[in-house]
Amino acid sequence: MLHSYWLVDPGGLYNIQWEVIKATGSTYAASFQQLYARTLSNSTIKYISLCLFPGTVTGSMSRNKKVNWTAINRKLPIDRSLKADRKRLFRSFDPNGNGILSLAEVDKSIRDVLRIDDIFDAKPAIMRAFQSAKAVTKSKRSDGVGDDYIEFREFRYFLIALRQYFEYYQAFERTDSSGDHRLSLKEFKDAKSKIEKWVGKIQDMEAEFMMIDKNGGGFILFDEFCDWAIRKHLDLEDDDDNTGAARKDW
């Protein structure tokens, strides 16, 4: 039986917004490979299946929800002194004990091990953290698969990046008043006062918008927003920010 699926890419990670595909059983992977062969690795294809919902489109789940930053920070053993805690957490993330974490394992563990629903719902933040962490070091594994996954020596960086990209995701969602998972010039300009609380004074909002919109599509996508947020040292005014020391390593 043939089903219709919505491919949900709320952060515009692949410069798309919505794509309807036809898939049945495991054939969705072939469909993804055909559509996005230049951007998706096999592990990413498997991961994106987690973002498929038959006949539905997801909306923002975090825009009006207050985040418990203290609880999130407590669950992420980022400090260098917590290496033993990170080892225990890594083992919990790695149920098959092969020493590497896939996107699917990371996503599932955020929900089932860390039990942080706010981050679990922020798929673009998870994706960005995973992609950046797995590229931190060159794998020395003899099987040649390590570079596509997160190894323990990259795990601390992943936790730092996860916390940081989740903060950027919250800022992005608070600016996206329409809920279409992209920022228009009007939304960006309307949010001037709160954006300036996060990044400092901006003299020309339109010029800033054009600079962030690298592909000239007329909207700021999440990946473009993140690149800008990193350069501007974006910091939400209400987060319980006790990760300052760790940010230096990120």
Side-chain angles (χ1 to χ4, degrees):
M1 182 177 180
L2 201 62
H3 299 282
S4 295
Y5 288 82
W6 286 97
L7 169 58
V8 180
D9 181 30
L13 291 173
Y14 304 105
N15 292 325
I16 59 173
Q17 291 304 317
W18 305 103
E19 183 76 44
V20 182
I21 67 167
K22 296 290 186 178
T24 170
S26 62
T27 60
Y28 70 83
S31 299
F32 282 127
Q33 286 173 324
Q34 185 177 3
L35 286 169
Y36 309 114
R38 290 178 298 177
T39 52
L40 299 186
S41 66
N42 287 334
S43 60
T44 305
I45 289 168
K46 294 175 183 176
Y47 170 76
I48 285 189
S49 67
L50 297 170
C51 297
L52 285 174
F53 302 89
T56 64
V57 178
T58 60
S60 171
M61 300 178 70
S62 61
R63 186 172 297 105
N64 298 313
K65 185 177 180 181
K66 185 173 178 60
V67 175
N68 188 337
W69 294 101
T70 301
I72 288 175
N73 292 337
R74 190 184 302 121
K75 291 184 177 183
L76 300 177
I78 288 173
D79 192 272
R80 287 189 179 275
S81 65
L82 300 176
K83 186 174 182 178
D85 292 336
R86 283 193 298 278
K87 284 185 175 180
R88 285 191 291 271
L89 186 62
F90 186 90
R91 287 194 292 268
S92 297
F93 272 48
D94 182 26
N96 60 13
N98 64 356
I100 52 177
L101 304 179
S102 68
L103 268 167
E105 287 174 323
V106 164
D107 186 271
K108 185 175 185 297
S109 296
I110 289 171
R111 181 192 64 193
D112 299 342
V113 178
L114 290 177
R115 298 183 179 180
I116 306 178
D117 290 340
D118 287 332
I119 295 182
F120 178 72
D121 292 336
K123 301 300 185 189
I126 298 173
M127 177 71 80
R128 292 277 305 200
F130 181 90
Q131 295 293 344
S132 60
K134 74 183 181 67
V136 168
T137 60
K138 184 71 176 175
S139 177
K140 297 179 181 179
R141 289 175 63 98
S142 59
D143 56 15
V145 302
D147 288 334
D148 291 327
Y149 301 90
I150 293 176
E151 300 180 58
F152 177 71
R153 58 182 176 163
E154 299 164 323
F155 191 52
R156 177 173 180 265
Y157 183 94
F158 167 73
L159 296 176
I160 295 171
L162 183 65
R163 166 63 174 77
Q164 197 62 44
Y165 280 123
F166 177 65
E167 183 172 346
Y168 296 158
Y169 183 77
Q170 287 297 311
F172 186 84
E173 289 289 276
R174 294 178 191 183
T175 308
D176 176 25
S177 58
S178 68
D180 64 353
H181 311 295
R182 57 185 185 175
L183 305 181
S184 67
L185 175 59
K186 183 179 186 306
E187 287 174 320
F188 190 71
K189 292 172 71 172
D190 288 349
K192 176 179 171 65
S193 60
K194 59 184 173 184
I195 289 174
E196 288 186 330
K197 291 179 182 178
W198 306 334
V199 302
K201 187 69 175 176
I202 298 176
Q203 295 297 332
D204 187 333
M205 291 294 286
E206 186 166 351
E208 193 79 7
F209 180 94
M210 299 298 290
M211 183 267 294
I212 301 170
D213 178 23
K214 292 179 181 178
N215 67 3
F219 295 92
I220 296 174
L221 305 179
F222 181 66
D223 59 336
E224 295 171 327
F225 185 83
C226 286
D227 292 341
W228 172 77
I230 292 169
R231 293 195 305 270
K232 301 290 284 189
H233 305 289
L234 184 149
D235 186 17
L236 291 180
E237 76 280 8
D238 61 335
D239 70 318
D240 182 13
D241 195 359
N242 65 0
T243 59
R247 287 190 187 200
K248 296 178 182 178
D249 299 326
W250 186 68

